[in-house]
């Protein structure tokens, strides 16, 4: 383990919480820390999955490109999340590309260690399952929204989800603490950049959000929730 | 364990495959078999998750109803699948309703046993993770389709997915071996009953599928795949 990694932070991650101190040290000793600068890929879709990872700090975006070349965001990775666990998906390659949205530090373990870890440390298996359960619930929420909600409601639910996962309370509201682009929001909501721009412009004019270059501030999350849940009309 | 349950079939399910014979007997001894007639719910959304299950035979549909009362299908459960594993999702209630599409037999274990099983039988934890991984990949495929594909392509991918999960080869093509309604296909594709009816009528006229009351026959899966992948134009 290199220096510059805060052990206390890592020890507190859900996935390691139930390990004994000795077990934690064993697991950590097998990890290689890696740095990814903003914009850099940790791994690419289709690449052989030689490593699995835990994000220590920063933010990643996992995207998939369809056969026709259209990109969709699978999810945002936040610190403490397991990712690149192709083995758990019974795959030998990565199903998507993980790109750093801001400077990020990850811990990497060889994929060959996955099964051994899961057998030796059942609490890590339970933690991994919970990670997958969270992702599954998020994917089902997005599917439900795509199938039943008008676009403005979907955008509302998308920015609230980002706020819940990655928001920091400040005086003026909830700041999404990594650079999220309108294109990111469009891909997460299953709509176009043009539509997201129109919605955010209307919301900004009504005092619901503030662009502040790239880090979005949710000034009135309650009203955004009412729009998302269809309890008040949208602004478009 | 009641009689009428075929042990050989159950022993072969992926989730039990790596258990020793003794472990398998222990796990099976803790199970209660239950029967669900077609149309009957095994559990309902919001109900306290007192049991988790493995489907032994039959087919289930898991649905979620939104706050506004719109129903979406989360997935189709096939024999060997774990389901109702609210504990793995860190929930105390079932997030959806599981309804038998045809007469079904399930094995049920008390949710209180979940954590113990996962610790005592790491291979079951690995199996559970693979189940969740499969579902996650399916959910991501559906999200990608919803975000990037026109409706006829989505319907093509939906019926092919049903064929892959639950199809039986026969002389005339691939028969989806449980009663799937146009409404089911509409919910799985994120579209309306009306649109699915129009698409299936056009496909039937062109010899791609055959309705045969309820059990859909895919007469030309290759051509349906070409439509799904956008390599030939749709028929609508």
């Amino acid at each position: 383990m290199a220096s510059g990694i805060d052990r206390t932070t890592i020890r507190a991650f859900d996935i390691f919480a139930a390990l004994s101190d000795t077990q934690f040290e064993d697991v950590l000793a097998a990890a290689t820390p890696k740095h990814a600068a903003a914009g850099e890929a940790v791994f690419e879709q289709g690449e052989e999955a030689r490593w699995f990872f835990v994000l220590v700090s920063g933010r990643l975006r996992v995207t998939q490109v369809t056969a026709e070349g259209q990109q969709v965001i699978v999810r945002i990775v936040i610190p403490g999340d397991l990712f690149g666990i192709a083995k758990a998906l019974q795959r030998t390659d990565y199903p998507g590309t993980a790109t750093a949205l801001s400077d990020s530090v990850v811990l990497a373990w060889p994929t060959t260690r996955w099964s051994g870890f899961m057998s030796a440390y059942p609490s890590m298996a339970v933690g991994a399952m919970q990670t997958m359960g969270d992702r599954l619930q998020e994917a089902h929420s997005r599917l439900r929204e795509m199938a039943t909600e008008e676009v403005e409601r979907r955008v509302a639910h998308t920015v609230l989800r980002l706020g819940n996962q990655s928001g920091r309370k400040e005086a003026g509201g909830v700041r999404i603490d990594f650079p999220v682009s309108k294109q990111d929001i469009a891909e997460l909501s299953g709509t176009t950049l043009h539509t997201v721009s129109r919605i955010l412009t209307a919301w900004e004019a009504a005092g619901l959000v503030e662009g502040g270059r790239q880090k979005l501030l949710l000034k009135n999350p309650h009203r955004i929730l009412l729009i998302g849940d269809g309890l008040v009309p949208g602004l478009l």
Side-chain angles (χ1 to χ4, degrees), chain A:
Chain A
M1 282 290 308
S3 59
I5 300 277
D6 177 1
R7 271 165 193 265
T8 316
T9 305
I10 300 170
R11 186 74 179 98
F13 290 156
D14 280 353
I15 190 164
F16 301 128
L19 296 180
S20 72
D21 285 341
T22 317
Q23 290 175 332
F24 176 68
E25 291 304 325
D26 283 351
V27 169
L28 209 56
T32 306
K34 294 178 190 256
H35 177 257
E40 199 181 323
V42 177
F43 54 76
E44 308 259 6
Q45 183 171 348
E47 190 185 315
E48 189 192 343
R50 296 179 49 231
W51 304 88
F52 67 93
F53 306 88
V54 167
L55 182 64
V56 176
S57 62
R59 289 288 181 283
L60 307 176
R61 177 181 55 200
V62 179
T63 52
Q64 291 182 346
V65 174
T66 66
E68 294 92 36
Q70 283 184 283
Q71 177 175 294
V72 288
I73 296 190
V74 172
R75 75 173 182 290
I76 303 295
V77 180
I78 62 173
D81 280 356
L82 261 177
F83 66 101
I85 50 176
K87 189 83 181 174
L89 307 178
Q90 298 179 272
R91 297 179 65 110
T92 56
D93 64 335
Y94 295 114
T97 297
T99 309
L101 288 169
S102 55
D103 284 1
S104 299
V105 174
V106 304
L107 292 177
W109 289 266
T111 294
T112 49
R113 302 291 298 268
W114 175 261
S115 302
F117 274 12
M118 294 301 112
S119 301
Y121 311 119
S123 70
M124 266 186 82
V126 169
M129 230 179 296
Q130 285 171 348
T131 300
M132 294 175 74
D134 290 345
R135 288 184 200 169
L136 199 54
Q137 295 204 80
E138 182 183 331
H140 286 162
S141 296
R142 285 174 63 193
L143 270 172
R144 212 169 48 229
E145 291 164 13
M146 298 266 273
T148 66
E149 296 179 3
E150 297 301 325
V151 61
E152 188 168 346
R153 295 184 50 192
R154 302 204 303 266
V155 170
H157 281 140
T158 297
V159 299
L160 289 171
R161 196 175 293 126
L162 291 171
N164 283 335
Q165 289 169 344
S166 273
R168 219 180 39 227
K169 275 217 167 130
E170 54 182 63
V174 174
R175 176 83 62 186
I176 295 171
D177 69 351
F178 65 93
V180 58
S181 70
K182 287 173 188 168
Q183 180 63 36
D184 293 335
I185 295 173
E187 290 177 21
L188 286 167
S189 310
T191 185
T192 60
L193 173 58
H194 176 68
T195 302
V196 169
S197 291
R198 286 177 58 223
I199 291 171
L200 291 185
T201 301
W203 287 5
E204 189 145 8
L208 270 61
V209 298
E210 195 177 276
R213 258 165 314 246
Q214 276 203 299
K215 293 200 179 176
L216 193 68
L217 177 68
L218 310 181
K219 291 169 71 179
N220 193 339
H222 179 64
R223 175 104 180 267
I224 297 172
L225 181 60
L226 292 176
I227 292 175
D229 288 352
L231 299 174
V232 303
L235 301 181
L236 267 206

